[in-house]
Amino acid sequence: MVSNTKYSKVSKWSFYRAKDMALAMLEGSVAEQYEILDDYCNRLLATNPGSTAKIKTKMIGEKRVFERVYICLKACKDGFRNSCRLLICLDGTFLKGYCKGILLVVVGIDAENAIFSIAYAVCEKETIDSWSWFCDLLKTDLESERPDLYTFMSDKQKGLDNAVGRVFTGSDVKHCVRHLYSNFKKIFPDLLMKQMSWVAARATIIAEFDRRMVEIKEVNVAAYNWLVAKPRTEWTKAYFSEGVKGDDLLNNLCESFNNAITDARDKSIITLLEKLRYWLMCRFQKKRETVTRWNEPVGKNIRKLIE
């Protein structure tokens, strides 16, 4: 029996080129998106008065080349200043599109213990210079007279601690305990040390923390010395600032944000920025609708904590 099925003789590379052409028709080419990035930022500011949109470029000969773009919407500024805790989480995640780079994000915790995006930026890579540029703009947008009241949490990205220390002088810095433990277990991989180190990190009062550290010292002096060398304010609840009203040990907020915008990370610059803006707009509207259905003064997350 002869099959009537017809097979295409077109190579897979022809299909890839056709796909690229179709995406360019739908979203615009990579070059075209960079060419109209100025117009996009101006339009963003016109439709969202009070927002911030900054582009950094450099000149190579007579050609203007893109380096970075920073965006902080007015709704994000007002929401953080009016209803969020003083804990700020920072993170950087790799972009996967044609033009590689890093997406820098900063998020906070709202009144219902949920993620609240503050600002985001696209830059060439994570360095002291790029994080300092980002933090300088963030500090301006926060409009705080007491930057030392903030507590910052991170996974110890390259240059981040130095940038935060320079821009937000006197502020506390916390490091994700999961990241700290990943380094700890390279030297002390046994299960007992894992359990004891996490118990010490979760200690909520100084006396309990000291007791847990003595227990670690009795079992493994080297592990005790490794932990003691880390500033206690960075990794244990017992020494966290009370003013921040948050005892998070993990940088899960940024991880949640990065997971939510995964589909945008392989897009061209304007498509990426617009997907982020659209995601924020939908999230704010969803939260607004949720509040109208509350039967109590607080949301269900806070009610569970109170109970």
Side-chain angles (χ1 to χ4, degrees):
M1 180 181 293
V2 179
S3 173
N4 292 325
T5 304
K6 295 182 180 180
Y7 295 95
S8 172
K9 296 182 180 180
V10 179
S11 70
K12 64 178 181 180
W13 303 113
S14 296
F15 280 114
Y16 286 141
R17 286 194 294 271
K19 176 184 175 182
D20 291 340
M21 292 173 63
L23 288 175
M25 293 173 64
L26 293 172
E27 302 175 355
S29 69
V30 173
E32 288 174 348
Q33 291 211 6
Y34 281 109
E35 288 174 359
I36 62 173
L37 184 57
D38 275 327
D39 294 334
Y40 173 81
C41 289
N42 290 334
R43 186 61 179 169
L44 187 71
L45 296 176
T47 54
N48 297 268
S51 299
T52 302
K54 299 286 186 181
I55 300 176
K56 185 177 185 296
T57 59
K58 63 181 178 181
M59 297 300 296
I60 298 181
E62 298 181 354
K63 189 176 181 180
R64 184 185 177 208
V65 179
F66 168 83
E67 280 191 299
R68 303 166 188 166
V69 59
Y70 166 94
I71 292 177
C72 181
L73 300 174
K74 180 67 161 57
C76 297
K77 297 183 190 182
D78 293 344
F80 178 77
R81 288 198 297 258
N82 297 332
S83 62
C84 290
R85 302 176 187 182
L86 299 180
L87 176 64
I88 297 175
C89 302
L90 303 111
D91 194 18
T93 184
F94 289 99
L95 298 177
K96 301 179 290 185
Y98 178 82
C99 296
K100 300 295 188 293
I102 298 289
L103 177 67
L104 306 181
V105 299
V106 52
V107 300
I109 303 178
D110 66 17
E112 205 192 6
N113 266 10
I115 179 176
F116 189 92
S117 178
I118 305 171
Y120 48 91
V122 175
C123 65
E124 68 281 14
K125 56 184 177 180
E126 288 185 273
T127 62
I128 295 178
D129 181 62
S130 61
W131 274 116
S132 296
W133 175 81
F134 183 76
C135 289
D136 279 328
L137 293 170
L138 177 64
K139 182 180 180 180
T140 301
D141 284 329
L142 295 181
E143 297 179 359
S144 174
E145 297 179 357
R146 293 286 306 280
D148 58 299
L149 296 178
Y150 295 117
T151 294
F152 292 85
M153 172 172 275
S154 73
D155 292 340
K156 297 192 70 172
Q157 285 88 351
K158 296 178 181 178
L160 178 53
D161 286 353
N162 291 332
V164 170
R166 183 188 68 80
V167 178
F168 295 92
T169 306
S171 61
D172 290 333
V173 175
K174 295 198 295 185
H175 291 148
C176 179
V177 177
R178 185 187 293 116
H179 181 274
L180 179 141
Y181 174 71
S182 67
N183 294 325
F184 179 79
K185 72 176 181 180
K186 293 176 183 177
I187 309 172
F188 312 102
D190 55 292
L191 180 60
L192 179 60
M193 283 296 98
K194 174 183 178 180
Q195 294 172 339
M196 297 184 76
S197 62
W198 276 97
V199 169
R202 294 189 181 103
T204 55
I205 59 175
I206 294 176
E208 181 187 0
F209 172 78
D210 291 340
R211 184 165 60 252
R212 299 301 183 183
M213 291 299 290
V214 169
E215 293 173 355
I216 293 175
K217 187 175 183 180
E218 292 173 350
V219 175
N220 192 321
V221 175
Y224 169 83
N225 292 333
W226 193 95
L227 291 171
V228 167
K230 306 297 179 183
R232 299 175 181 182
T233 55
E234 293 182 357
W235 65 279
T236 176
K237 292 182 180 182
Y239 284 87
F240 287 170
S241 170
E242 295 179 3
V244 73
K245 296 181 175 61
D247 58 1
D248 298 80
L249 293 173
L250 307 177
N251 197 15
N252 286 340
L253 295 176
C254 286
E255 298 296 334
S256 297
F257 179 85
N258 291 335
N259 288 335
I261 53 94
T262 298
D263 293 341
R265 287 166 53 192
D266 62 346
K267 305 302 181 184
S268 299
I269 185 68
I270 290 181
T271 306
L272 164 65
L273 297 177
E274 187 61 8
K275 278 183 173 289
L276 293 176
R277 186 199 65 80
Y278 181 76
W279 180 84
L280 285 170
M281 180 181 68
C282 293
R283 180 172 176 80
F284 286 162
Q285 180 60 25
K286 182 178 179 180
K287 288 289 184 179
R288 187 178 294 112
E289 292 173 354
T290 300
V291 171
T292 62
R293 295 193 294 269
W294 285 5
N295 297 319
E296 300 176 358
V298 295
K300 62 179 182 180
N301 291 339
I302 301 302
R303 189 177 69 251
K304 289 179 181 178
L305 291 175
I306 295 173
E307 291 173 351

